[in-house]
């Protein structure tokens, strides 16, 4: 489609750390300059796994928003909001649940995987089974076209596409659809109408994606069409009925290469993180006590950076010349490990300093943060209401 709308959410279940920054947040910072972006706190999703520790969620919501802002998510470029403040998500979730086959939910791989991984929690709940559908509602309610997610979430986007398709198939078939589509083509005018027809035929006969996209662009750019006609023409292109819900695409977030303090991927569950608000003293201490190549028992024992988690941090933070210095110095026992760690400490502190300065400013001004979120919620709600009006109508809920 001509205009991209990006949407992504994050669950408020604790402090954000450098892994989040190098993985998700830097990606968001880039996207906010390229497309319309909506970023939200998925507090209901957090409750699906943390329903028995609501205090964690309560604490984490504002802190997470502050972390986003501190990292550089800009409310002038991105709409920032909280899922539960846009209750339309829950309404769409309920309505979609009516037409969601149980087997589709049971087959989503994260369902069983997470139950096994988080075996200490009782996740045999209705809410947890519905997790991907709630996510679908989050996405579909904004007609988002691009959803930046990690690899583990791709099945949820696939699931969302299937839900959208099923919904459009069931509810997009208004009486007299073909006639209405024909009338809408007339409204395009002779020349554009012919172009549309040509592209539609080409797409339907040969699967020519370019033809599809050119016809979609033609409709998007046409000023004189009503919303209903626009959707009819978009739906008619692909053969079905009106396209009410848009099928989103997963936009794979490049896997974070951020290693943790022990060389495994940085993750709260490995207890190897540096949080975005970690004090400089703690950052220093954490890096100073990182394990190194076990072969370097004494200062005079040579080592191998390939066997050392500190080296992995050099790979993220250090210049080529520093990396050469490490390789040489480690293998020849020319440098000690404490010495080797100093450039990493300096780099992490330099990266965190501006983030922490901004975080402190926002933390001191809770009203500002709340206003940013209130503003975002209002913008989001306006979009969500538009979708819901139409969903209610096609599902027979438009009583007067
Ligand atoms: N399930 C996502 C995660 O754990 C969070 C999420 C909820 C989300 N709703 C979303 C992500 C909608 C993208 C779009 O990371
Ligand atoms: Fe690791 Fe550096 Fe020590 Fe080598 S010198 S073992 S790379 S910390």
């Amino acid at each position: 489609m001509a205009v991209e709308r990006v949407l992504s959410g994050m669950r408020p279940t604790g402090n954000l750390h450098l892994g989040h920054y190098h993985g998700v947040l830097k990606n968001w910072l880039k996207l906010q300059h390229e497309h319309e972006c909506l970023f939200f706190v998925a507090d209901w999703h957090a409750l699906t796994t943390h329903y028995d520790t609501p205090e964690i969620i309560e604490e984490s919501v504002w802190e997470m928003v502050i972390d986003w802002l501190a990292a550089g998510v800009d409310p002038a470029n991105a709409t920032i909001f909280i899922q539960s403040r846009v209750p339309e998500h829950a309404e769409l979730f309920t309505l979609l649940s009516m037409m969601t086959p149980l087997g589709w939910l049971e087959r989503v791989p994260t369902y069983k995987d997470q139950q096994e991984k988080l075996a200490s929690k009782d996740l045999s709940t209705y809410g947890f089974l519905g997790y991907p559908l709630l996510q679908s509602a989050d996405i579909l309610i904004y007609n988002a076209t691009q959803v930046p997610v990690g690899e583990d979430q791709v099945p949820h986007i696939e699931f969302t596409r299937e839900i959208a398709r099923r919904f459009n198939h069931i509810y997009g078939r208004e009486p007299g659809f073909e006639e209405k589509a024909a009338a809408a083509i007339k409204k395009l005018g002779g020349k554009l109408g012919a172009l549309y027809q040509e592209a539609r035929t080409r797409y339907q006969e040969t699967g020519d994606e370019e033809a599809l996209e050119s016809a979609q662009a033609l409709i998007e750019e046409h000023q004189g069409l009503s919303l209903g006609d626009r959707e009819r023409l978009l739906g008619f292109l692909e053969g079905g009925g009106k396209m009410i819900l848009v099928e989103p695409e997963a936009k794979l977030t490049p896997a974070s290469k951020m290693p943790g303090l022990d060389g495994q991927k940085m993750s709260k569950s490995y207890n190897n993180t540096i949080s975005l608000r970690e004090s400089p003293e703690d950052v220093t201490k954490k890096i100073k006590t990182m394990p190194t190549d076990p072969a370097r028992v004494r200062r005079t024992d040579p080592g191998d950076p390939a066997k050392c988690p500190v080296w992995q941090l050099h790979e993220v933070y250090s210049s080529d010349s520093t990396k050469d210095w490490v390789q040489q110095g480690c293998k020849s026992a020319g440098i000690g490990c404490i010495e080797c760690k100093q450039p990493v400490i300096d780099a992490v502190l330099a990266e965190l300093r501006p983030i922490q300065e901004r975080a402190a400013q926002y933390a001191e001004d809770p009203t500002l943060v709340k206003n940013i979120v209130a503003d975002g919620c209002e913008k989001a709600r306006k979009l969500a209401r538009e979708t819901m009006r139409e969903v209610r109508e096609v599902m027979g809920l438009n009583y007067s």
Side-chain angles (χ1 to χ4, degrees):
M1 209 166 296
V3 186
E4 301 286 2
R5 180 178 284 161
V6 174
L7 170 113
S8 199
M10 218 190 266
R11 301 178 320 131
T13 53
N15 283 331
L16 297 193
H17 51 65
L18 282 173
H20 295 113
Y21 179 68
H22 284 268
V24 182
L25 289 174
K26 276 189 171 168
N27 191 234
W28 286 12
L29 300 185
K30 183 166 81 72
L31 289 169
Q32 69 182 348
H33 296 297
E34 298 169 350
H35 304 293
E36 179 186 358
C37 284
L38 296 132
F39 299 128
F40 73 98
V41 181
D43 52 351
W44 283 333
H45 277 103
L47 273 174
T48 64
T49 50
H50 289 64
Y51 56 87
D52 53 354
T53 48
E55 63 284 354
I56 295 185
I57 293 165
E58 196 167 2
E59 272 168 29
S60 305
V61 169
W62 295 113
E63 295 305 310
M64 192 163 86
V65 172
I66 290 175
D67 282 341
W68 292 359
L69 294 167
V73 178
D74 179 356
N77 285 315
T79 302
I80 300 172
F81 67 99
I82 299 174
Q83 184 184 36
S84 65
R85 298 263 173 108
V86 186
E88 284 81 2
H89 288 225
E91 186 184 357
L92 183 56
F93 172 62
T94 300
L95 293 181
L96 292 176
S97 77
M98 307 303 168
M99 42 133 283
T100 301
L102 208 44
W104 289 17
L105 283 167
E106 287 163 342
R107 273 199 299 275
V108 175
T110 45
Y111 180 55
K112 288 221 167 63
D113 290 355
Q114 290 292 101
Q115 281 190 333
E116 281 164 23
K117 217 173 136 204
L118 306 174
S120 58
K121 291 190 173 150
D122 177 15
L123 293 183
S124 47
T125 58
Y126 178 56
F128 188 68
L129 177 66
Y131 186 112
L133 188 64
L134 180 57
Q135 187 163 352
S136 301
D138 298 336
I139 298 167
L140 297 173
I141 206 161
Y142 300 106
N143 286 160
T145 58
Q146 297 278 336
V147 185
V149 285
E151 190 134 34
D152 62 314
Q153 295 287 307
V154 171
H156 293 178
I157 310 306
E158 261 322 300
F159 173 85
T160 302
R161 293 169 63 85
E162 277 164 25
I163 294 291
R165 223 172 292 146
R166 181 165 162 82
F167 186 95
N168 292 336
H169 181 75
I170 298 175
Y171 301 108
R173 300 201 168 264
E174 46 182 353
F177 174 72
E178 309 266 321
E179 291 74 22
K180 285 184 182 162
I185 294 171
K186 274 219 179 98
K187 288 185 205 154
L188 285 174
K191 207 163 140 215
L192 285 182
L195 275 176
Y196 173 91
Q197 291 277 33
E198 239 174 65
R200 176 172 184 267
T201 310
R202 202 142 39 92
Y203 173 66
Q204 296 207 337
E205 284 174 3
T206 66
D208 182 342
E209 290 285 333
E210 249 169 65
L212 175 65
E213 278 163 30
S214 74
Q216 284 168 338
L218 182 154
I219 299 161
E220 293 292 333
E221 284 154 24
H222 196 282
Q223 302 296 324
L225 289 171
S226 71
L227 192 62
D229 278 342
R230 189 179 301 252
E231 281 164 354
R232 273 177 207 110
L233 290 177
L234 287 171
F236 191 55
L237 269 179
E238 297 181 71
K242 247 164 97 173
M243 194 187 65
I244 301 164
L245 300 177
V246 173
E247 283 180 44
E249 273 172 38
K251 193 172 171 63
L252 204 60
T253 306
S256 163
K257 295 213 181 61
M258 189 64 202
L261 293 164
D262 56 358
Q264 300 188 76
K265 177 183 148 157
M266 188 178 281
S267 159
K268 198 174 57 171
S269 46
Y270 299 144
N271 198 18
N272 64 357
T273 62
I274 295 175
S275 84
L276 293 184
R277 312 260 205 108
E278 198 93 46
S279 71
E281 296 72 38
D282 287 350
V283 171
T284 307
K285 198 161 82 197
K286 281 188 169 178
I287 297 175
K288 279 199 168 150
T289 52
M290 275 178 75
T292 59
D293 178 358
R296 296 208 70 182
V297 182
R298 280 173 300 255
R299 166 71 175 76
T300 48
D301 295 330
D304 180 1
K307 295 180 183 146
C308 177
V310 178
W311 169 249
Q312 295 188 42
L313 289 177
H314 276 293
E315 292 219 277
V316 174
Y317 289 104
S318 296
S319 66
D320 285 344
S321 64
T322 304
K323 283 191 277 191
D324 287 346
W325 170 79
V326 172
Q327 287 287 343
Q328 289 268 348
C330 182
K331 289 177 178 163
S332 64
I335 58 170
C337 290
I338 292 289
E339 214 178 334
C340 177
K341 288 171 172 178
Q342 195 56 48
V344 171
I345 295 173
D346 294 341
V348 172
L349 292 179
E351 178 168 69
L352 289 180
R353 195 172 305 121
I355 296 177
Q356 296 191 347
E357 278 168 15
R358 280 192 296 261
Q361 285 169 9
Y362 285 111
E364 270 167 33
D365 193 352
T367 316
L368 173 62
V369 178
K370 294 201 169 170
N371 284 341
I372 289 170
V373 170
D375 191 47
C377 291
E378 201 176 313
K379 281 191 196 139
R381 248 191 126 168
K382 217 170 181 175
L383 299 171
R385 278 202 197 102
E386 266 175 46
T387 306
M388 286 319 297
R389 197 174 309 131
E390 193 168 8
V391 168
R392 282 186 212 116
E393 187 184 314
V394 298
M395 289 190 77
L397 299 171
N398 195 21
Y399 315 118
S400 49

